Amino acid sequence: MKQIILAIALFYLIPYSCYSQSILIKGKVLFQGEPVEYANIYVKGKGKGAVTDSQGSFTIALNETGSFTFQASMVGFQTSQQVVELLNSGNSDLVFNLKEMDGGLDEVVVSGTMQEVSKLDSPVPVEVYSANFFRANPTPSVFESLQNVNGVRPQINCNVCNTGDIHINGLEGPYTMVLIDGMPIVSGLATVYGLTGIPQSLIDRIEVVKGPASTLYGSEAVGGLINVITKKPENAPLASADFFSTSWGEMNLDVGLRSNWGKKIQSLTGVNAFYYDNPIDNNGDGFTDVTLAKRISLFQKITVARPENRLFTMAGRYVYEDRWGGQMGWSAADRGGDEVYGESIYTSRWETFGIWQLPTQEHLNLQFSINGHNQNSVYGTTVYNADQYIGFSQLTWTKTAEKHGLLVGLTYRYTYYDDNTGATAHLETDHNAPSKIHLPGVFIQDEIKLTPSQSLLLGLRYDYNSIHGNIFSPRVNYKLSSSDKNTTFRLSAGNGFRVANVFTEDHAALTGARDVVFAEELKPEKSWNANANLVKKIFTDNGTFIALDGSAFYTYFTNRIIPDYETNPNQIIYANLDGSAVSKGFSLNLNAAWANGISFTAGGTLMDVSIEEEGIKSRQLLTERFSGVWSVGYEFFRLGLTLDYTGNVYSPMRLPLLGPLDDRPEFSPWYSLQNIQLTKKVGEKWEIYGGVKNLLNFTPPANSIARAFDPFDEGVLFGPSGNVVPTPGNPNALTFDPTYVFAPNQGIRGFLGVRFTVSD
């Protein structure tokens, strides 16, 4: 009898003791054999999880035995699952080998030093945004996608044709260099028109460098650079498609295809198409709220397998766009006429770029890019036709010694620009005289490893501009990291320069609403910049990851070119600033991830951008003092749903008024653009997503276009000096003007889309 009682007791007690004992499950998450940090590990149905540390390791405690499904996920990678039978001991050999979804580890950057390095090891602070970051708020162009990047703001420059540029830390678009795969192909005319038509299905990541990068990249990289990195063919999906439409009637399609041309050539083909042909005037000013556009973009990239793994990659892109905005009754028959006002732009642009590693013992790379841009446009009755061709080549030599990483480069850039304005007319003969600029240069950079945790980067560049002469650009960067690399401090200082072309960079000069006046021959702008950056990563015991990234920046300009809208409301006066301009401020980024599937990113930038001339200090037009962005994501593991809530907020900006009688507010209001999206995975290949954009339905005031009812100024009286004379029909002395713009005119709208991906 005693034996029976003992047996029954053991029958109940043994399972109970196994159930109550904490079982530790340990493992690692790897990519191509390397540890992956910040990956989320989740035990389905148990609400348990962890985040991997810098070694890719994780530990999860469970209080029961049985069969469990472990899931590893991370932005940029395919979700991986394993089913594990747990008895009474932990599995210490649980290993997840992740496969790429978007083509690469976010921790590899190239923009800061022109060489692929770990983001942690880069002495230059580089912000990296994966393709999945932008999927939280899908848009038809890179221009719109950047609205959720801290310190970066897409600025609409015209209420009629909706062209714009990218501001970094308060500096306008011409101060930002945009590159594709490290090649400076987006410049000149494309500063305004070239940020659309890049197939987003082919984008691996976007790298952002804030502050002068002229030492490596030359002119235009004064405020910073945006480097669009496309996928490597070997890492891209076999086929992908992404289509979405909005309740306003916009439709966007992205298609990507990977193929092999024989045994040694891999190809990546992309197509982007955008269509919007639904005139809407919700604010009742008689003009289209959003520009109508038809756009097609073709992209082709190939890589060739060469002996000793030498690199050869070549790519090309062609973009054609037909866009117009204007009075609601406008049609193509009214193009250039004076009865119905419209702004119509035909853009045709081609680009080719690549890199070839020379077959030598030394590491020599030849990079090249060539692009052509043709624009046929009218702004009311003002016709603007232009052609621009830019050729760029660069030969770099890299050499690594015990404590030195040397980079030496020879560059040459040729710019041809011709238009139908006085900018390319010979002053004496009035004959056409296209602008031709030769810009040879040389640069050297040395990254010195002072200690295992400290490095110093020194750089110097010399360029000779065939019009403006010698230009020098030095820089210095210092980095200090803690032994566990969870804390990194960077200090940077450098010089930037920019040679300006008003007609290719400032859309306001082309609208025809104002006369363009050059008070003097424009000289190159110069700037000095200092930046301090601190990054802190925190791992908690409950699987939470937090990263803080703070920067303080200061930029001082001389010879800055400031368009003067206020001296004469009927003119834009361009001249070099007889004084100084300063952009200074502080920015902070926060990234956090919890094991339960919640991820959170947020950022804020507080800045002061001012101009001082003749002892008078003023605030720069169209520049906010504060901006903030956020993105909140939550994954419902059991339902296969992902919820994304994104948004931004901007403080008031000083706006261009048309004189002392203009009764419109001098400053814009606080405003916020917010979006929400749900994404549902259907099997391994399909995704369905949808949501609402501009949840608060914010739009600028209806009087943003001055005298929208009189676009040809038929009811405006001008005085002898060209100033507007107040009349009973025009008591505020206004002229037709679309430059009073600070936010998109497009209100709330729904969207629905579908994605299809075949990995192998």
Side-chain angles (χ1 to χ4, degrees), residues 597 634-644 677-681 688:
Y634 181 71
E635 186 172 356
F636 298 90
F637 293 104
R638 295 180 180 179
L639 300 177
L641 279 175
T642 302
L643 174 68
D644 292 295
Q677 174 184 254
L678 271 175
T679 304
K680 169 67 176 177
K681 289 186 177 181
I688 300 174

Side-chain angles (χ1 to χ4, degrees), residues 9-40:
L10 290 175
F11 179 81
Y12 283 101
L13 289 175
I14 291 175
Y16 177 80
S17 64
C18 292
Y19 179 83
S20 61
Q21 182 182 2
S22 180
I23 303 174
L24 293 180
I25 298 91
K26 298 181 180 180
K28 282 195 170 187
V29 178
L30 305 175
F31 169 70
Q32 295 182 350
E34 296 295 324
V36 177
E37 58 179 335
Y38 321 143
N40 286 301

Side-chain angles (χ1 to χ4, degrees), residues 23-27 58-62 70 84 86 90-92 94:
I23 303 174
L24 293 180
I25 298 91
K26 298 181 180 180
F58 66 89
T59 301
I60 299 175
L62 290 176
F70 290 80
V84 179
L86 293 180
N91 290 48
S92 59
L94 190 58

Side-chain angles (χ1 to χ4, degrees), residues 63-132:
N63 295 321
E64 58 183 298
T65 60
S67 179
F68 300 95
T69 300
F70 290 80
Q71 175 176 290
S73 63
M74 183 178 178
V75 172
F77 297 90
Q78 299 176 26
T79 299
S80 177
Q81 294 185 357
Q82 292 189 38
V83 178
V84 179
E85 292 287 341
L86 293 180
L87 299 176
N88 58 359
S89 61
N91 290 48
S92 59
D93 57 348
L94 190 58
V95 177
F96 291 91
N97 289 291
L98 297 184
K99 295 182 179 180
E100 290 180 292
M101 177 181 291
D102 294 299
L105 277 170
D106 288 347
E107 292 300 309
V108 176
V109 296
V110 297
S111 299
T113 61
M114 278 193 184
Q115 302 179 74
E116 285 198 350
V117 296
S118 164
K119 179 183 175 182
L120 293 174
D121 293 334
S122 173
V124 179
V126 181
E127 297 179 14
V128 184
Y129 300 90
S130 72
N132 271 14

